[in-house]
Amino acid sequence: MGSPSGPPFDPDDPDRERRERDTEPIPRVGPDDGPGYGAGPGLSDGPSLSDDVGYGDGPGYAGEGRPGRAWIRDPEAGYQPPQISEDELAGLRADATGATPRRVLPLEDEPSSLVARYLFPTERYRGEWKRHWIHLTNPLLIGVAATFVLGYLSGFLAGQNVGALTTIAVLLWFAVMGWVAWKVADWWYDRFILTNKRVMVVNGIVTRKVAMMPLVRVTDMKYEQTPTGRALNYGTFVLESAGQEQALREIKNLPNPNELYLRVVEEMYEPQAVEARLGKEADEAKADDGA
């Protein structure tokens, strides 16, 4: 038989009691071995963690049954949509004067024929916007400047009996006006579109371009306004996506940027509120028509 392990016994060792306490085996306690872990009030049938007011049916978490445990999601119950109260809906609707607590304009009922061809049947249309008229500033200024300059030049050349140069000046003016008209038409057919699934930009007359980004891939969104943009109520939207290549990132000169920002964010984070508001407005419209 070998000698026991550890240092020799020393009655004056100050750490002896601590070592003995640390190495003492923990007794195994059964259900009937006293009140510590059994039937006493500590962790079993007593009032500490059972049906008392803290976690049970008492007033600690008001309601009927066991509302204190209502926050636990039952995996078999599936997803339950949040309930939108009447007060929350009232805060999103306009009053009789047309004023709203937030700058969210009414949603359009139907898309235009230009936009409808790009929507699939299960997609819910939320609105379309043309760019702000500031988008036409450069073409309009060029047209006005060309009218004054070429008009003065045509009159001057007509007095000099130079018919060929006068004709060239007039044709040049028509060319500039045709370019301005093209820019105005391109602005008219340029639309920013929002649905419940994506944002899109459609532009072009002869060569049509359609760019889109799913709302679920939008990781960040912001809008920027210059001092002129704040005065005239337009801005530039910047959409960030999880992907490296983005077909739609920066959209310039969009009108009502704050209202549009709230519209997109609400569609991303509170789609149930949008559906509830639309349903309520539809019911009110039917009631008014019936009256």
Side-chain angles (χ1 to χ4, degrees):
M1 175 180 293
S3 61
S5 61
F9 176 76
D10 186 1
D12 297 329
D13 187 359
D15 296 332
R16 179 174 58 83
E17 294 183 359
R18 178 180 59 80
R19 286 199 302 270
E20 291 179 353
R21 183 175 63 252
D22 293 343
T23 57
E24 183 179 0
I26 299 175
R28 303 183 64 179
V29 181
D32 300 327
D33 291 340
Y37 297 89
L43 296 175
S44 181
D45 296 333
S48 297
L49 296 176
S50 181
D51 295 332
D52 60 334
V53 297
Y55 295 90
D57 297 332
Y61 292 86
E64 297 179 357
R66 290 186 177 271
R69 301 174 184 175
W71 60 271
I72 301 177
R73 177 174 294 180
D74 186 2
E76 297 181 356
Y79 172 74
Q80 298 296 328
Q83 299 296 325
I84 308 299
S85 65
E86 286 294 330
D87 294 337
E88 292 174 329
L89 290 178
L92 299 174
R93 292 196 295 267
D95 55 18
T97 63
T100 56
R102 303 186 313 175
R103 297 183 61 185
V104 178
L105 301 180
L107 292 171
E108 293 83 358
D109 295 331
E110 297 292 337
S112 64
S113 58
L114 173 67
V115 173
R117 69 188 70 176
Y118 302 107
L119 305 179
F120 51 89
T122 58
E123 197 170 19
R124 296 184 180 273
Y125 170 79
R126 298 303 189 212
E128 60 185 87
W129 295 265
K130 293 192 295 289
R131 296 182 191 263
H132 194 270
W133 60 263
I134 200 70
H135 193 68
L136 296 173
T137 300
N138 291 338
L140 293 179
L141 289 178
I142 292 174
V144 172
T147 300
F148 280 101
V149 172
L150 294 176
Y152 175 81
L153 183 61
S154 298
F156 175 77
L157 294 176
Q160 300 296 322
N161 295 323
V162 186
L165 294 179
T166 303
T167 302
I168 293 175
V170 172
L171 292 177
L172 183 60
W173 179 82
F174 275 109
V176 173
M177 290 299 103
W179 176 80
V180 173
W182 179 272
K183 288 295 184 180
V184 172
D186 185 67
W187 166 80
W188 178 262
Y189 288 105
D190 189 354
R191 304 293 172 91
F192 176 80
I193 307 161
L194 173 65
T195 71
N196 66 326
K197 297 181 182 298
R198 54 181 172 160
V199 292
M200 292 189 297
V201 170
V202 178
N203 55 21
I205 301 176
V206 177
T207 302
R208 185 60 56 88
K209 299 178 181 179
V210 180
M212 54 121 352
M213 180 182 295
L215 290 177
V216 295
R217 291 183 60 86
V218 177
T219 58
D220 188 22
M221 183 182 68
K222 64 179 180 179
Y223 71 90
E224 302 171 351
Q225 282 186 291
T226 62
T228 305
R230 296 185 63 185
L232 300 179
N233 197 20
Y234 71 91
T236 298
F237 270 70
V238 179
L239 303 176
E240 297 290 345
S241 174
Q244 296 295 328
E245 296 295 333
Q246 302 177 28
L248 180 63
R249 185 179 184 274
E250 186 176 87
I251 311 104
K252 296 182 178 180
N253 302 329
L254 286 177
N256 302 317
N258 187 63
E259 181 268 339
L260 185 56
Y261 176 83
L262 292 176
R263 181 73 56 80
V264 177
V265 171
E266 186 181 33
E267 193 63 51
M268 292 170 59
Y269 296 106
E270 293 292 341
Q272 293 86 5
V274 179
E275 294 290 343
R277 186 171 74 252
L278 291 178
K280 191 69 174 180
E281 292 174 355
D283 293 340
E284 292 177 353
K286 291 180 180 179
D288 293 340
D289 294 339

